[in-house]
Amino acid sequence: MDEVMGKEHVVSFTEFLHELQKEWRFHQHGGTSYRQKTAELSLEVAHKVGSIVPFLESEVAKQTVSRLLPDLDHHRVEDVAKMLHVIAKELHLNATLSDEVKAYVQQKRQHRKPLSFVKK
């Protein structure tokens, strides 16, 4: 956790909230009611915490969600924590990738063959 704490300002809390809001809007347009509620609860927890840091580690995210929303069942706690953790880790990873790795990934994306699911 020390390494994560040292990088807490790599991704702003505002960026994290923005991504959570995008996830919430995505589920509002065609997602299941369960996923809509999970996204809503994720935003609620994030607002209460006010930081991305607790969500960078899976176990800490689960403990945080459980503590802040004690009436949720185990499965919902897991799902809310997972949504918060996955978004936080993705943002953190993207923010900390070196320019060389970013260029390599971009190059690979440009040169890959499109997937074809239709039999010829």
Side-chain angles (χ1 to χ4, degrees), residues 1-3 28 33-34 36 42 49 54 63 66 77-78 82 92 94 98 105-108 110-111 114 116 120:
M1 181 86 170
D2 291 337
E3 180 180 316
Q28 292 304 304
S33 60
Y34 185 87
Q36 290 171 4
S42 296
V49 173
Q63 293 167 4
S66 184
V77 168
E78 293 274 331
K82 183 176 181 181
H92 190 267
N94 287 338
S98 70
V105 169
Q106 184 63 28
Q107 178 187 18
K108 285 296 191 183
Q110 289 174 351
H111 292 96
S116 175
K120 294 182 180 183

Side-chain angles (χ1 to χ4, degrees), residues 58 61-62 65 77-87:
S58 180
K62 288 177 199 172
V65 171
V77 168
E78 293 274 331
D79 289 341
V80 171
K82 183 176 181 181
M83 183 175 284
L84 289 161
H85 175 67
V86 167
I87 290 172

Side-chain angles (χ1 to χ4, degrees), residues 1 15 41 56-57 74 110 114:
M1 181 86 170
E15 290 174 273
L41 291 169
L56 292 171
E57 291 190 26
H74 173 72
Q110 289 174 351

Side-chain angles (χ1 to χ4, degrees), residues 87-100:
I87 290 172
K89 286 300 284 187
E90 182 178 341
L91 286 170
H92 190 267
L93 178 65
N94 287 338
T96 57
L97 283 177
S98 70
D99 290 339
E100 293 83 19

Side-chain angles (χ1 to χ4, degrees), residues 11-30:
V11 177
S12 74
F13 181 66
T14 303
E15 290 174 273
F16 182 54
L17 280 181
H18 177 74
E19 288 301 314
L20 288 171
Q21 289 166 342
K22 280 175 43 180
E23 187 75 12
W24 177 78
R25 281 191 299 275
F26 174 78
H27 290 294
Q28 292 304 304
H29 300 286

